[in-house]
Amino acid sequence: MGWFSALGNTGGSAMGACVASVRRAQDGTVAGAGFILAADTVLTCAHVVNDALGRELFDARPPGPDEVPVELGGPRGRKRYPARVAHWIPPRSMADGPVGVDEDEWLGDLAVLRVDAPGDGVHPPSHRTLMEAGQEVRAWHGSGSGNTFADLTVKFAEGQIGYLDGDTTGMAVGPGYSGSPVWSLKHRAVVGLVVAHFMPPRDPATGAFLPYSPQHLVRRSWGIPWQHVEAELRSVGALDSEELSYAESDEPAFVLLIEALDTAFPTPSGRGDVARQLARACDVEDGGEVTPPTVEEFADFLLTHPRALAAFTQILRRRDATATGHVLAAGRLAHGPRLLSPTEYTRLHQLLRGVDKSVLGRFGEAMRAALPLAAALPGGSLDTLLDRLEALPGDGHSEDGEPRVPALLRVMEYVGVLCAGPQRAGLRMWSDGVSVRLGIPRSALAERRSDAQDWARELRTRSARVRVLVEVRRAEPGRHRLRIWCDEGAGPRQVSVTAAVSYSAPEAARELLRVLESLGPLAVEGQRPLVEVLVDRTSLNLPVDEWAGGAPDEIVPGVLGVEFPLVVHCPELLLRHERFLPDWRRRWNRLDSGATLVFSDASKDPNQIYYELMGKLDAVRVSVDVPPGLREGIVQICLAVGVPVVVWDRGRDEDSHVVKHMAEVSTRELPDGVRSYRANTMARPQEFPGRPVLAWADADRTVPRLHLIEPQESP
């Protein structure tokens, strides 16, 4: 494998210490096992995480920032730490759909957890190799007890699933073993991950296990071979510590690195000393103290291990700044190397774990402000965003020949200004250290820091979003009466002349577009005006967002919900249950940090929904994914008890694409996210089949009470 060899620990006797215990958040009992991938990451099954969080086992939705208790073994014994999902590969059926409750086998089902544990307090990761038929292997229960090991034999491992048969003596794999690493005794390496066990058949009438028969399947489990685990993890960028393919000898970066290495280390001994430091920094084995790596081996490692080049410049900067500059210039010509060294990467995650959840909830907002000209960035977990940011180049504000400030550092400056003092100082010190290693002028980073501070001052002084409120009441069939108010930040002012006129849907859309166009100069300075449709509880599904105001001779159709973020608001429900008004305001104040609930069980009694909401007074957002007859009642209960944000799909009975898609959008960004979804529905209805409705009750903004007066009365 060359002078720079595979990942470190070869101690099979200590393998049990590399087994993590994933615990249930509610009571701390065992949900399953996991495998320590690195000092602060654990690999387990997605269904184990779902169990730990009290969700349905095969729930495909990302868990978000919810914390999972994880117990790890280290030099000082086993300790419990909070963890969050960094990469999520949900369970999926063999046909790439949802997994049915009666299915015995499925695909996916992986989760990488970022653990808030000290880097020196965790057992080092183990070798990984291919799973093959005939291997004698071992698995452990999630309790972490050494005496729970179960000995198994790999019977088949030629596809995405490996079948494991247990010995007739000793422990049998069962509940609590999911997520355990499958350890090969011969290869002293992990060869896969346990997923499920084929349980004995049950009596269909009583549910009890049937008496043993020689015809029964005995002690068979199945898992994911490591070769397929790698493929799944690579697809989401979760194996950044693994080596890439060999570098091409005629690649420009390879040629330049060889020249730089020859110049910086004219003697083999000097090259060997630095190579051993680099191997330790990258957690790989070195070729020993006798023979150093060749210059070609050294250059190849710098281009194929994702963080080797950054780690090398961290070592080299202290010795030779000029050579460091040449190495960095060569690295910018290659696609493989990542921006951060292993220590910088670990330190960033440690700092972010100390940042308030309300700030992390605004990470997307800070990212868009810091990189207004960047291409659209993906959604997903914080780790996914950080991986994408590492790959983006620096901005264009630099003198000729000077290194540019990387996109990741710029975003961290914008995140930092949202943080409290200690967290802000930590992020700035981290940015300073990375910029020094990269040779970025202090003035360039100071300019980005100043930009972030200007943005923070703008946030503090920015007036509330301009909004247009429209009360919509049904008149004769197919027609509606409107009352319209504008609110530029000083409160609603009525702009409609009369409420006696009735409008068809196109006429009403044209009237609203006329008012919105009058706000053009105000809207240009900030976001598009928010259209807030005030309705009674029988009109929550009125498709105002689909009303089009374009005349036949106009160029664009003028669809309200496509051009503007449009939400519905039902003050009637709040005013009929005024005892919940304090709860409503309290929930709204926690919009960035409160809990999200999903109601998708059509068998639930509506009273059960009420009880759950009363037990979750920190819930600020609810997604409803049940058939229409039950859906309307659940939505009204949520709004009546003061839940400020409720999402549903008026066009689907269940399994809503809207609900799944909007789960990726932060709560504060939902109005714009729903508007974008509606535009995609018009453009690509097969990919975006939903008809989203967003109920949005802003407790900080005044709603006119005039909508409760009969239209015939004077305003």
Side-chain angles (χ1 to χ4, degrees):
M1 295 183 66
W3 197 90
F4 295 95
S5 190
L7 287 171
N9 175 42
T10 59
S13 61
M15 179 55 206
C18 284
V19 180
S21 178
V22 181
R23 302 279 173 160
R24 295 185 177 92
Q26 184 175 10
D27 56 15
T29 56
V30 174
F35 166 53
I36 298 173
L37 272 179
D40 65 345
T41 52
V42 165
L43 174 67
T44 185
C45 294
H47 81 262
V48 171
V49 174
N50 282 333
D51 185 15
L53 295 175
R55 309 191 326 161
E56 295 293 331
L57 281 186
F58 298 124
D59 194 334
R61 296 171 299 122
D66 291 343
E67 290 185 346
V68 180
V70 173
E71 194 174 274
L72 304 176
R76 293 179 292 277
R78 299 188 69 82
K79 291 188 177 181
R80 195 169 299 181
Y81 305 97
R84 58 180 169 79
V85 174
H87 299 281
W88 180 251
I89 303 173
R92 61 185 187 274
S93 71
M94 295 296 185
D96 279 343
V99 179
V101 293
D102 296 327
E103 293 189 53
D104 292 325
E105 300 172 0
W106 51 87
L107 303 175
D109 202 3
L110 294 171
V112 177
L113 304 177
R114 183 77 58 184
V115 187
D116 189 6
D120 61 348
V122 180
H123 200 281
S126 297
H127 282 312
R128 284 91 84 177
T129 191
L130 304 181
M131 180 184 285
E132 298 175 331
Q135 289 171 332
E136 300 295 322
V137 296
R138 182 167 287 176
W140 285 263
H141 187 265
S143 63
S145 299
N147 61 3
T148 63
F149 69 87
D151 285 332
L152 310 155
T153 302
V154 178
K155 292 296 186 180
F156 182 87
E158 295 182 7
Q160 297 173 327
I161 289 178
Y163 296 100
L164 316 167
D165 282 5
D167 285 356
T168 55
T169 61
M171 300 293 286
V173 171
Y177 281 79
S178 294
S180 169
V182 179
W183 173 257
S184 169
L185 301 174
K186 175 182 177 181
H187 298 91
R188 303 171 74 84
V190 172
V191 298
L193 208 70
V194 175
V195 176
H197 181 73
F198 294 98
M199 299 300 290
R202 295 176 181 268
D203 187 309
T206 65
F209 288 118
L210 293 174
Y212 172 72
S213 164
Q215 295 299 316
H216 287 168
L217 190 64
V218 180
R219 290 198 171 190
R220 173 160 292 175
S221 308
W222 67 269
I224 309 176
W226 187 256
Q227 52 266 39
H228 188 62
V229 171
E230 278 195 348
E232 292 274 20
L233 295 184
R234 287 189 192 283
S235 70
V236 295
L239 274 186
D240 123 310
S241 64
E242 295 293 305
E243 291 186 359
L244 307 174
S245 58
Y246 288 104
E248 296 292 336
S249 59
D250 59 349
E251 184 180 342
F254 187 77
V255 175
L256 290 174
L257 279 175
I258 288 178
E259 294 176 358
L261 290 168
D262 272 332
T263 303
F265 306 106
T267 65
S269 61
R271 187 169 67 246
D273 289 342
V274 172
R276 283 185 288 274
Q277 291 183 55
L278 179 60
R280 287 193 297 271
C282 295
D283 198 21
V284 302
E285 294 177 351
D286 61 62
E289 298 186 8
V290 177
T291 305
T294 65
V295 176
E296 290 77 13
E297 283 180 309
F298 206 135
D300 183 80
F301 182 67
L302 293 178
L303 293 178
T304 54
H305 187 290
R307 302 201 182 276
L309 192 138
F312 178 54
T313 57
Q314 209 169 25
I315 298 167
L316 189 61
R317 173 68 67 183
R318 296 188 290 269
R319 298 171 174 235
D320 190 336
T322 301
T324 303
H326 293 156
V327 170
L328 288 168
R332 285 193 286 271
L333 299 177
H335 299 293
R338 306 299 296 270
L339 175 70
L340 303 180
S341 70
T343 55
E344 290 167 345
Y345 181 78
T346 299
R347 180 57 181 156
L348 176 60
H349 282 283
Q350 289 172 343
L351 290 167
L352 290 175
R353 285 197 289 268
V355 171
D356 291 343
K357 286 185 179 180
S358 60
V359 173
L360 293 181
R362 301 179 66 183
F363 192 92
E365 178 186 357
M367 187 170 58
R368 287 188 294 274
L371 307 172
L373 301 181
L377 289 162
S381 69
L382 179 62
D383 290 67
T384 301
L385 293 174
L386 292 174
D387 288 345
R388 179 70 179 95
L389 286 170
E390 268 200 274
L392 291 181
D395 60 37
H397 302 287
S398 66
E399 300 296 329
D400 290 343
E402 290 183 339
R404 298 183 297 175
V405 179
L408 177 61
L409 264 62
R410 179 160 186 165
V411 171
M412 286 304 107
E413 292 296 333
Y414 278 68
V415 171
V417 297
L418 299 175
C419 295
Q423 288 82 19
R424 184 188 311 125
L427 287 173
R428 285 182 174 177
M429 289 177 65
W430 176 86
S431 293
D432 289 341
V434 177
S435 65
V436 168
R437 175 180 65 79
L438 295 174
I440 296 169
R442 293 182 63 87
S443 59
L445 184 63
E447 185 179 349
R448 305 303 162 271
R449 191 163 288 169
S450 177
D451 292 341
Q453 290 168 338
D454 290 343
W455 175 67
R457 282 191 291 270
E458 180 189 348
L459 286 180
R460 289 192 292 268
T461 59
R462 182 188 296 171
S463 60
R465 185 175 196 165
V466 176
R467 61 178 183 158
V468 171
L469 302 98
V470 53
E471 177 200 9
V472 180
R473 280 180 172 265
R474 300 178 190 270
E476 57 270 25
R479 302 187 71 83
H480 305 83
R481 292 190 174 90
L482 309 180
R483 283 188 175 182
I484 305 174
W485 295 261
C486 290
D487 182 1
E488 294 92 349
R493 58 179 178 84
Q494 190 166 349
V495 296
S496 58
V497 178
T498 177
V501 177
S502 67
Y503 300 87
S504 65
E507 292 168 346
R510 281 193 287 274
E511 177 64 13
L512 268 172
L513 288 173
R514 181 188 65 78
V515 173
L516 288 160
E517 285 173 352
S518 71
L519 299 173
L522 290 170
V524 168
E525 294 180 8
Q527 303 161 300
R528 287 173 174 267
L530 178 74
V531 178
E532 192 168 328
V533 182
L534 308 175
V535 295
D536 61 31
R537 61 194 180 103
T538 66
S539 300
L540 285 165
N541 283 305
L542 194 65
V544 179
D545 53 284
E546 299 175 6
W547 291 355
D553 58 344
E554 289 189 11
I555 298 174
V556 295
V559 181
L560 290 175
V562 169
E563 293 192 21
F564 298 94
L566 186 148
V567 301
V568 298
H569 185 19
C570 184
E572 171 195 348
L573 287 169
L574 280 170
L575 294 175
R576 285 179 58 153
H577 305 84
E578 292 193 19
R579 65 185 181 277
F580 295 111
L581 291 178
D583 293 335
W584 167 49
R585 296 189 179 95
R586 188 182 305 111
R587 292 179 197 264
W588 178 263
N589 288 336
R590 299 176 181 176
L591 193 66
D592 295 309
S593 59
T596 296
L597 301 179
V598 178
F599 294 133
S600 57
D601 185 353
S603 65
K604 274 191 178 180
D605 183 272
N607 286 340
Q608 189 66 30
I609 303 296
Y610 163 75
Y611 298 137
E612 288 191 35
L613 290 171
M614 289 298 93
K616 280 277 191 179
L617 292 178
D618 63 336
V620 301
R621 169 176 169 181
V622 170
S623 295
V624 183
D625 188 10
V626 296
L630 182 60
R631 183 178 62 211
E632 277 66 27
I634 293 176
V635 168
Q636 291 187 33
I637 289 173
C638 294
L639 298 177
V641 302
V643 177
V645 179
V646 184
V647 182
W648 70 95
D649 186 342
R650 76 163 72 93
R652 297 291 291 267
D653 287 350
E654 54 189 347
D655 194 25
S656 167
H657 181 267
V658 165
V659 169
K660 293 178 182 176
H661 186 85
M662 289 303 153
E664 303 289 334
V665 180
S666 66
T667 302
R668 199 173 289 276
E669 300 293 323
L670 274 175
D672 294 292
V674 168
R675 184 207 62 77
S676 176
Y677 187 100
R678 289 167 178 151
N680 284 323
T681 295
M682 297 295 184
R684 305 192 299 276
Q686 296 301 319
E687 297 178 44
F688 294 84
R691 298 174 66 196
V693 184
L694 172 61
W696 185 265
D698 187 338
D700 295 331
R701 307 296 295 271
T702 305
V703 175
R705 298 182 67 90
L706 296 177
H707 68 281
L708 297 177
I709 303 173
E710 289 301 317
Q712 292 80 1
E713 296 178 16
S714 175

